[in-house]
Amino acid sequence: MTNLQRIIWLASFPKSGNTWVRVLLANYFMPRTKAPDINSLSKFTTGDIRKDFFDRALGHPYSASSIEEWLEVRQKALRLIAASKPNHHFVKTHCQTTRIHDMDVIPPEVTAAAVYVMRNPFDLAPSFARHQSADIDTTIERMCSTRNIMATDTGMYEPLGRWDDHVNTWTQAPGLPLYVIRYEDMLANPGKTVSAMLEKFMKVKVDRPKLAYAVKQASFKSLQKQEKEIGFSEKPATMKSFFTKGKAGAWRDDLTPAQVGRLRSEFEDTLKKWYPEMLEETGSFASTA
């Protein structure tokens, strides 16, 4: 039987830097003349809700009216995605690694490893709110709900769950070779952060000039420029722009003390592990409510 454990998942909660990492890696690994723009990232990596793979899995145009239908087709679609390239390759996902109706959302039989891109929930909340065209309180409610699922009109589902569950199920998945990238570390020093991943996790000898070029091409200013000039096909129709702020600490202006307090209270244990440096400031900010 053919071994289909070829997928290296690029996993994240939405608006955590997944696109940024994909653009950077594409510009590092692909020749400069062939590196994709933001609307042709599928030349480098694909996504787990690519409808064409679901169409092929069914043998006719895909549509579904329930998460159960989606899961049934997803199992075969992911095998097609895994088999679409002969060796290990990246696949984007926003799904939580969990089981629904006795089926793995992220099946081990197609999984080789994963890179998990994480963003602190305080900056993520206003960005996710813009992505969903929702107010921040509604968005925080979603981030705190185990039933948090994104869906399309054609029946593509992305089970997200709570922000902390999303983080924990990926970072604690038994037997999964995993590398974690924090969005904030990428902002502070993208070259150092990606270099560490390439060397320590992918065992790739880093070409410094090539990495510097990739970092420049994937800069937030460059991504904004591309979106302004050619648009971005992955941007929700109701969203004004996908690449909006791209900085850490915007929560101080975007959130109220009560909203910070809610996020801190809900996710305290996970924050202690992954963002201990934020506990004191967010605690002080929340206490002014």
Side-chain angles (χ1 to χ4, degrees), residues 15-26:
K15 300 303 294 178
S16 296
N18 199 306
T19 302
W20 184 12
V21 173
R22 282 185 291 146
V23 172
L24 201 156
L25 290 175

Side-chain angles (χ1 to χ4, degrees), residues 35-76:
D37 60 40
I38 57 174
N39 289 323
S40 57
L41 284 171
S42 60
K43 292 179 181 178
F44 173 70
T45 184
T46 191
D48 64 343
I49 58 170
R50 276 270 301 271
K51 187 176 180 297
D52 53 339
F53 283 102
F54 280 70
D55 292 344
R56 285 173 54 197
L58 273 178
H60 57 78
Y62 166 84
S63 65
S65 57
S66 71
I67 197 166
E68 292 86 355
E69 289 182 64
W70 167 76
L71 274 168
E72 289 284 354
V73 183
R74 178 178 171 84
Q75 307 305 304
K76 186 174 181 181

Side-chain angles (χ1 to χ4, degrees), residues 10-13 16-18 21 115-119 179-183 186:
L10 288 177
S12 69
F13 202 93
S16 296
N18 199 306
V21 173
V115 173
Y116 187 75
V117 189
M118 183 189 307
R119 189 180 189 184
Y179 194 85
V180 177
I181 290 179
R182 297 197 321 171
Y183 183 94
M186 280 279 290

Side-chain angles (χ1 to χ4, degrees), residues 223-237:
L223 298 180
Q224 281 185 316
K225 184 173 184 288
Q226 284 193 56
E227 183 180 11
K228 185 176 180 180
E229 291 176 350
I230 62 175
F232 184 36
S233 59
E234 295 181 27
K235 178 182 73 68

Side-chain angles (χ1 to χ4, degrees), residues 11 15 26 59 78 93 99 103 116 129 132 147 152 155 161 167 175 187 190 195 212 248 250 256 267 271:
K15 300 303 294 178
L78 289 182
T93 185
R99 284 178 66 84
M103 285 183 276
Y116 187 75
Q132 297 292 292
R147 301 176 69 84
T152 68
V167 169
L187 279 173
S195 178
T256 66
F267 305 140
L271 289 167

